[in-house]
């Protein structure tokens, strides 16, 4: 019997692939699991069934910008973090402001970002976001010098757990979703050691324009 006519077996194959994948899998990628043609509509229906099967458990199947993946539910994160006590990287206000401008105003040039922030944008800030995979150059503005146009990536949406830019929260909530809040200044020099160093001064910023 063909495996694609055995819906129960097809479902097991898809579920296994998703459980063992390191990155989200799109429907196009999941179709490659089979030598025979499997309709995207059928795969989507089965994914909905798998998602329903796992509802109410500690792990859930979610659809993100890049595709589908299994992940632990948010309420269980504190328990899982005890298995991996390493501190996540913290980003300065300059990085978060730059990311927010790109996310909500894209596509923008580096000059646009500087005009909104009111200070120059250091190479370190842009490089941090590029290396993290949260932003990319999608083109060049048709002005002298042809500066690059920056936009956020699917990885940025994946890391926040969103499908599209329409899912972005109000601007004021973005920082708390992406990374932990930076330690207060009065905790001394030791508290700042986890922050990613930047060249520009966060104290000289202007509020992000709405």
């Amino acid at each position: 019997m063909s495996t694609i006519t055995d819906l129960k077996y097809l479902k097991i194959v898809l579920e296994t692939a998703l459980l063992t994948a390191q990155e989200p899998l799109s429907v196009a990628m999941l179709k490659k699991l089979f030598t025979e043609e499997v309709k995207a509509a059928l795969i989507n229906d089965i994914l909905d069934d798998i998602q329903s099967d796992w509802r109410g458990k500690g792990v859930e199947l979610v659809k993100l910008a890049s595709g589908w993946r299994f992940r632990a539910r948010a309420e269980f994160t504190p328990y899982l973090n005890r298995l991996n006590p390493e501190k996540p990287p913290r980003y300065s206000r300059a990085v978060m402001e730059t990311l927010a401008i790109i996310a909500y105003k894209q596509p923008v040039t580096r000059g646009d970002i500087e005009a909104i922030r009111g200070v120059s944008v250091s190479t370190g800030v842009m490089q941090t976001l590029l290396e993290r995979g949260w932003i990319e150059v999608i083109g060049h503005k048709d002005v002298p010098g042809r500066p690059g146009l920056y936009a956020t990536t699917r990885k940025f949406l994946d890391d926040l757990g969103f499908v599209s830019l329409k899912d972005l929260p109000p601007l004021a909530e973005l920082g708390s979703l992406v990374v932990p809040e930076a330690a207060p200044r009065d905790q001394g020099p030791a508290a700042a050691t986890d922050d990613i160093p930047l060249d520009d001064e966060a104290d000289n910023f202007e509020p992000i324009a709405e």
Side-chain angles (χ1 to χ4, degrees), residues 15 47-62 68 70-71 73 75-76:
E15 188 175 55
L47 290 172
D48 288 338
D49 286 343
I50 296 174
Q51 188 177 53
S52 179
D53 290 345
W54 286 81
R55 190 167 291 124
K57 298 182 180 180
V59 175
E60 61 182 348
L61 178 63
V62 296
W68 294 77
F70 276 101
R71 69 179 182 188
R73 292 184 180 278
E75 59 263 38
F76 298 106

Side-chain angles (χ1 to χ4, degrees), residues 114-135:
E114 291 176 341
I116 294 173
R117 288 196 65 224
V119 295
S120 63
V121 178
S122 74
T123 301
V125 168
M126 303 305 293
Q127 192 62 31
T128 293
L129 294 173
L130 287 167
E131 290 178 354
R132 186 66 176 81
W134 282 339
I135 67 171

